[in-house]
């Protein structure tokens, strides 16, 4: 299926990106620290207000591109996000999930708001017109296309969840086949404060 091609090729490309992060943290996801992805979008919330990743400074953001009529990939990714938040316990309050639609033709603001509430009322959705959607997807290296289906259409798209740290810097890409415990483990590592090592450790004790 074409969707699997999008998923595998992007994951392979991201895996080859040079990461600037410390080798001390071994992640289950793909470390994309310092990659030229994004770093932001110019889209709108379901209520029509301008949206930006900068709105969530201080939070750890999980960004996923999809569409509400997606039969499997998108609901699976959002259900996983619900479980990740639960697994983080109190730290789940530091997490912000953002769902960006690649199907603005059908995904209206009210529909997106209802779709998010079905998973978690704290999850937010963003959308734009066709040109704004295309630019945001290109900036984040997300591939999508319409596929005729009966008298309507569906969408093939990249199934990657990006993770941004509390400073708004892109850090990780979660692959679609990663489990919720694996993702939660990666987020705990991001949220953990850096610890001095070697001779510097003694200076802070």
């Amino acid at each position: 299926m074409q969707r699997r091609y999008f998923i595998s090729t992007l994951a392979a490309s991201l895996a080859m990106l040079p990461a600037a992060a410390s080798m001390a943290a071994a992640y289950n996801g793909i470390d994309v620290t310092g990659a030229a992805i994004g770093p932001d979008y110019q889209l709108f919330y379901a209520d029509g207000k301008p949206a930006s990743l900068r709105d969530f400074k201080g939070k750890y953001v999980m960004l996923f591109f999809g569409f509400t009529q997606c039969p499997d990939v998108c609901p699976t990714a959002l259900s996983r996000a619900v479980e990740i938040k639960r697994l983080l316990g109190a730290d789940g309050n530091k997490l912000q999930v953002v769902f960006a639609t690649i199907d603005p033709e059908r995904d209206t603001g009210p529909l997106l708001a209802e779709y998010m509430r079905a998973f978690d009322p704290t999850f937010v959705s963003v959308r734009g017109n066709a040109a704004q959607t295309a630019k945001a997807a290109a900036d984040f290296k997300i591939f999508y296309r319409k596929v005729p289906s009966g008298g309507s259409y569906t969408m093939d798209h990249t199934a990657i969840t990006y993770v941004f740290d509390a400073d708004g810097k892109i850090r990780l890409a979660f692959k679609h086949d990663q489990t919720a415990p694996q993702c939660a483990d990666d987020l705990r590592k991001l949220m953990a404060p850096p610890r001095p090592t070697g001779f510097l450790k003694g200076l802070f004790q």
Side-chain angles (χ1 to χ4, degrees), residues 26-30 60 62 76-77 79-85 87-88 95 160-163 172-191:
Y27 296 109
N28 298 293
I30 304 168
Y60 293 80
M62 288 174 51
T76 297
S79 295
R80 181 182 67 176
V82 172
E83 180 64 6
I84 292 168
K85 184 178 176 182
L87 289 171
L88 289 174
L95 186 66
I160 286 286
T161 298
Y162 289 119
V163 178
L172 295 170
F174 289 159
K175 294 167 288 186
H176 186 64
D177 60 359
Q178 279 183 242
T179 66
Q182 289 174 331
C183 295
D185 181 61
D186 284 351
L187 283 163
R188 288 190 195 99
K189 289 173 183 174
L190 279 183
M191 292 176 180

Side-chain angles (χ1 to χ4, degrees), residues 18-20 32-36 170-171:
V32 293
T33 303
I170 194 164
R171 299 296 303 276

Side-chain angles (χ1 to χ4, degrees), residues 36-199:
I37 299 173
D40 207 340
Y41 48 66
Q42 292 183 332
L43 299 171
F44 299 87
Y45 294 115
D47 61 5
K49 294 180 180 178
S52 169
L53 283 171
R54 292 189 298 272
D55 296 338
F56 307 112
K57 193 74 176 290
K59 293 223 171 190
Y60 293 80
V61 175
M62 288 174 51
L63 172 65
F64 182 83
F65 285 76
F67 65 114
T68 62
Q69 295 191 43
C70 181
D72 46 29
V73 172
C74 302
T76 297
L78 289 168
S79 295
R80 181 182 67 176
V82 172
E83 180 64 6
I84 292 168
K85 184 178 176 182
R86 186 191 70 79
L87 289 171
L88 289 174
D91 283 338
N93 293 326
K94 300 177 183 177
L95 186 66
Q96 179 61 61
V97 175
V98 180
F99 181 83
T101 182
I102 53 163
D103 187 17
E105 182 178 337
R106 295 182 296 190
D107 287 346
T108 63
L111 177 59
L112 284 165
E114 181 182 353
Y115 190 65
M116 291 297 99
R117 283 194 297 269
F119 291 96
D120 188 297
T122 69
F123 292 4
V124 301
S125 57
V126 293
R127 68 185 301 275
N129 59 32
Q132 291 163 338
T133 299
K135 184 179 187 311
D139 288 346
F140 283 91
K141 304 188 186 305
I142 299 295
F143 302 94
Y144 68 96
R145 68 170 186 172
K146 281 186 179 182
V147 179
S149 178
S152 184
Y153 65 89
T154 186
M155 304 289 291
D156 274 344
H157 65 97
T158 306
I160 286 286
T161 298
Y162 289 119
V163 178
F164 298 79
D165 64 21
D167 293 320
K169 305 296 185 183
I170 194 164
R171 299 296 303 276
L172 295 170
F174 289 159
K175 294 167 288 186
H176 186 64
D177 60 359
Q178 279 183 242
T179 66
Q182 289 174 331
C183 295
D185 181 61
D186 284 351
L187 283 163
R188 288 190 195 99
K189 289 173 183 174
L190 279 183
M191 292 176 180
R195 298 177 181 177
T197 57
F199 75 94

